[in-house]
């Protein structure tokens, strides 16, 4: 059919018999152009998004495992560490937290006023603190990981910093993943892309006016402005 579906009908030549639909295959692929794609950490699952849904695929069998309907076109995808959740940015500015196993939207956050174009997980940085005890001549090392988070950029000319946390659902003991908004960087142009340096100290933002601005992550103070040429 024209809408990318396949249908099987039972047709009898007897007078008065109705045509009976036996089976219909309609969710085997996207019905519009695929805009984003992301792999799981083990590369066994592939996640794709189009103008109306997010699909989860098995790389081995090439079958669609899950389909999650969205309220507007998908602009960006990010698979969280552990391969249990997906973050999806939509054209209407919503940020979705999706449970991969259940194929459900856990939370829909109004992250930006316009299209959410960029999601980037903060690098998993391990910090080391050492102490030296002079009286015992002992050196102690303490290792800890920085709490996971992400940065998002949107068409409302803002970059937002988020922290991942577990919250308890009301009237239940079930814990689900959520996002806590920490702070916002306001800019003069629409954000096209945002990235964080491996040491979590610098934030790079690509803007619609062909410039890339680099900020300190802790203070959001700009340190470098790169002007890109419009011609190659």
């Amino acid at each position: 059919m024209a809408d990318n579906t396949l249908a099987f009908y039972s047709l009898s030549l007897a007078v008065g018999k109705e045509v009976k639909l036996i089976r219909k295959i309609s969710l085997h692929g996207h019905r519009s152009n695929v805009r984003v794609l992301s792999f799981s950490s083990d590369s066994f699952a592939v996640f794709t998004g189009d103008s109306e849904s997010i699909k989860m695929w098995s790389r081995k069998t090439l079958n669609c495992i899950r389909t999650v309907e969205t309220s507007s076109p998908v602009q960006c995808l990010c698979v969280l560490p552990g391969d249990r959740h997906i973050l999806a940015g939509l054209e209407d500015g919503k940020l979705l937290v999706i449970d991969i196993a259940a194929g459900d939207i856990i939370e829909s956050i109004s992250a930006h006023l316009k299209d959410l174009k960029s999601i980037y997980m903060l690098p998993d940085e391990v910090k080391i603190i050492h102490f030296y005890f002079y009286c015992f001549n002992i050196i102690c090392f303490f290792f800890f990981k920085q709490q996971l988070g992400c940065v998002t950029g949107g068409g409302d000319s803002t970059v937002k910093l988020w922290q991942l946390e577990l919250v308890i659902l009301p009237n239940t003991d079930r814990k689900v993943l959520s996002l806590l908004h920490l702070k916002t960087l306001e800019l003069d142009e629409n954000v096209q892309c945002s990235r964080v340096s491996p040491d979590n100290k610098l934030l790079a933002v690509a803007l619609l006016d062909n410039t890339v601005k680099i900020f300190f992550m802790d203070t959001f103070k700009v340190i470098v402005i790169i002007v890109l040429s419009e011609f190659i």
Side-chain angles (χ1 to χ4, degrees):
M1 296 184 181
D3 59 354
N4 201 25
T5 62
L6 179 64
F8 297 91
Y9 292 90
S10 175
L11 178 62
S12 177
L13 298 179
V15 179
K17 293 291 184 178
E18 296 182 356
V19 178
K20 183 179 179 182
L21 176 63
I22 300 176
R23 189 178 180 185
K24 186 177 182 181
I25 302 175
S26 59
L27 295 177
H28 57 288
H30 289 282
R31 298 186 181 182
S32 60
N33 58 313
V34 177
R35 302 188 175 194
V36 292
L37 184 147
S38 182
F39 276 95
S40 60
S41 61
D42 57 7
S43 300
F44 284 113
V46 183
F47 307 92
T48 57
D50 66 354
S51 61
E52 56 186 19
S53 66
I54 296 171
K55 291 183 179 289
M56 311 171 195
W57 305 82
S58 169
R59 183 177 60 86
K60 185 177 181 180
T61 63
L62 302 180
N63 291 329
C64 180
I65 304 172
R66 300 280 189 277
T67 299
V68 179
E69 301 294 332
T70 58
S71 59
S72 66
V74 183
Q75 300 284 353
C76 50
L77 280 178
C78 179
V79 182
L80 298 184
D83 296 333
R84 295 183 178 181
H85 299 88
I86 303 173
L87 297 181
L90 305 184
E91 195 176 71
D92 59 3
K94 295 289 182 61
L95 177 60
L96 304 182
V97 183
I98 301 174
D99 188 328
I100 295 177
D104 296 330
I105 299 176
I106 299 176
E107 187 175 11
S108 178
I109 304 170
S110 297
H112 293 267
L113 299 178
K114 294 183 180 180
D115 49 333
L116 201 164
K117 295 184 177 180
S118 174
I119 303 176
Y120 185 72
M121 286 295 302
L122 296 179
D124 191 9
E125 180 185 11
V126 178
K127 294 186 178 181
I128 303 175
I129 300 179
H130 67 275
F131 297 93
Y132 181 74
F133 299 92
Y134 293 95
C135 55
F136 300 104
N137 198 24
I138 297 176
I139 300 178
C140 295
F141 293 89
F142 297 91
F143 300 84
F144 68 95
K145 286 188 176 182
Q146 181 172 344
Q147 196 159 10
L148 290 176
C150 67
V151 291
T152 61
D156 57 354
S157 304
T158 62
V159 174
K160 295 187 177 183
L161 177 62
W162 307 82
Q163 177 180 299
L164 274 65
E165 61 177 4
L166 292 175
V167 297
I168 301 177
L169 292 177
N171 303 323
T172 65
D173 295 331
R174 182 188 174 193
K175 291 185 177 180
V176 296
L177 185 68
S178 182
L179 291 173
L180 174 65
H181 178 229
L182 298 180
K183 54 184 179 179
T184 301
L185 171 63
E186 296 184 357
L187 299 161
D188 298 329
E189 291 288 340
N190 292 352
V191 178
Q192 302 299 303
C193 184
S194 58
R195 291 294 183 266
V196 179
S197 62
D199 58 1
N200 280 321
K201 293 183 178 180
L202 301 177
L203 169 67
V205 183
L207 302 177
L208 189 61
D209 61 352
N210 293 330
T211 62
V212 175
K213 294 184 179 181
I214 301 178
F215 304 84
F216 286 116
M217 276 291 292
D218 53 354
T219 62
F220 280 166
K221 180 181 178 181
V222 61
I223 54 175
V224 176
I225 299 178
I226 304 174
V227 181
L228 304 178
S229 174
E230 297 183 1
F231 304 98
I232 299 177

